[in-house]
Amino acid sequence: MLAVSVLAALFAAAPAPALGAPPAPETVCSVEDPRLGELSGLVAADDGWYAVNDGGTRLEVFVLDRDCAVRDVLTDPADPYDVEDLARAADGTLWLGDTGDNRKQRETVALHALPPGGAATLYRLTYPDGAHDAEALLLDESGTPYIITKNVLGKADVYRPAGPLASPGPTALEHVGSLRLTSTDTPGGPVGATGSLLVTGAASAHDGSVVAVRTYTDAYLYPVPDGDIPAAFRREPVRVPLPDEGQGEAIAFEADGTLLSAGEGVGSPVRAVPGAAELVPDDPSAGGTDGSAGDSAAAGEEDSPGLPVLPGIAVAVFAAALLVFGFGKLRR
């Protein structure tokens, strides 16, 4: 416990600035269905919510009413490795992000495209720089997928296909940007202060004007200039705290700009932040609300400083804490 306490103190020493006053999340309903005990991806559509669990031995997308009741399950016999997030294209196709890789040993990751009433199509992908663990998936207005990695040191990298997707592939990914997250004091998550550095999900607003990236404790809302997602991550985001979620991994936008968040555990709530998309300035050059994710860096640019530079002893303590407490057990 000493290692974890010291680690928390180190990260807490340089928190991100406090946010002004976004609306606090409001509980909408609770997911009581035991089949959704590991909810990690969420999409809001006109006809309800779509949700996925982590992992699984076949593709399953749960269709929920807005009271959290499961009314249908869309299935496909394809056996994924580790599904972590969900996105929906303009034509209604659901894209499952099969990108989890806690041990960073997968030669390929995958996307599964599940069209309305049709069979899933598999697209395998390869990173240009070795294996990564990733739990966040975005689609831009053209349907291009973006994968955002999960990193305990707060640097999340952004990748997209370098060319047209091929099935089954693999299709090469290219690195198009990165985010530098700084620790916050928002309570929640399974790993204390470290959880505010770990990207666990992402979502696009229905009109494509805003994207959200979440950690276990906070959401960061970025303005998207002219549909350009890499450019969005060079803008100043608005931070929206999502406190007291036990293992928050899912995030979505309603059509009216309401931000939804949810996480693992039977009985966990789906919560809403009304008008969240409106918190992002219309003019991206105006910057975001105080409480940003730290500096962002585009591909080819020098990384901007985000985390404080930790002394050697702090890094050692951090490594020891991971070994002792088995960070790899955080499957999602």
Side-chain angles (χ1 to χ4, degrees):
M1 291 303 292
L2 176 60
V4 172
S5 298
V6 172
L7 176 62
L10 287 166
F11 280 116
L19 184 67
E26 304 170 357
T27 296
V28 179
C29 55
S30 296
V31 181
E32 303 291 348
D33 194 307
R35 294 174 294 176
L36 266 174
E38 295 190 41
L39 194 160
S40 67
L42 187 69
V43 165
D46 292 340
D47 58 348
W49 299 332
Y50 295 83
V52 291
N53 274 317
D54 283 348
T57 57
R58 66 173 183 171
L59 300 183
E60 291 184 322
V61 179
F62 294 82
V63 186
L64 286 73
D65 292 326
R66 283 177 167 78
D67 60 1
C68 288
V70 175
R71 71 165 188 259
D72 196 8
V73 184
L74 310 178
T75 64
D76 187 275
D79 184 2
Y81 184 90
D82 189 2
V83 171
E84 291 287 357
D85 206 359
L86 182 68
R88 187 172 185 264
D91 65 358
T93 298
L94 294 163
W95 288 78
L96 287 75
D98 184 2
T99 58
D101 189 11
N102 300 306
R103 298 180 181 179
K104 298 181 177 60
Q105 62 184 11
R106 295 177 66 173
E107 294 183 1
T108 64
V109 293
L111 300 175
H112 304 268
L114 184 62
T121 301
L122 168 66
Y123 300 98
R124 297 192 183 280
L125 306 165
T126 57
Y127 292 106
D129 51 1
H132 296 276
D133 188 22
E135 298 189 5
L137 173 67
L138 287 170
L139 295 180
D140 68 12
E141 292 180 293
S142 70
T144 300
Y146 289 78
I147 295 169
I148 305 173
T149 64
K150 179 182 184 182
N151 188 314
V152 296
L153 294 180
K155 182 174 183 278
D157 290 304
V158 184
Y159 297 86
R160 71 182 174 197
L165 289 173
S167 178
T171 300
L173 293 167
E174 61 179 351
H175 183 266
V176 295
S178 59
L179 311 177
R180 286 278 191 173
L181 305 182
T182 53
S183 178
T184 75
D185 58 1
T186 306
V191 288
T194 308
S196 64
L197 302 173
L198 300 171
V199 172
T200 61
S204 296
H206 286 219
D207 65 1
S209 64
V210 178
V211 295
V213 175
R214 74 158 299 163
T215 67
Y216 284 121
T217 58
D218 301 271
Y220 297 92
L221 278 54
Y222 295 83
V224 184
D226 300 320
D228 189 338
I229 286 182
F233 293 136
R234 297 194 293 271
R235 306 289 186 175
E236 188 79 2
V238 172
R239 178 168 67 91
V240 178
L242 303 172
D244 303 319
E245 292 189 2
Q247 191 160 334
E249 302 197 1
I251 196 162
F253 280 104
E254 293 275 22
D256 65 358
T258 294
L259 188 71
L260 302 175
S261 67
E264 294 194 5
V266 175
S268 293
V270 174
R271 301 195 299 173
V273 180
E278 298 175 3
L279 298 173
V280 180
D282 292 333
D283 178 7
S285 65
T289 304
D290 191 24
S292 72
D295 295 319
S296 302
E301 294 181 354
E302 183 179 355
D303 286 342
S304 301
L307 287 172
V309 177
L310 301 180
I313 187 170
V315 175
V317 170
F318 180 74
L322 294 185
L323 290 172
V324 172
F325 292 96
F327 189 82
K329 293 181 180 179
L330 293 176
R331 298 174 45 245
R332 333 280 186 237

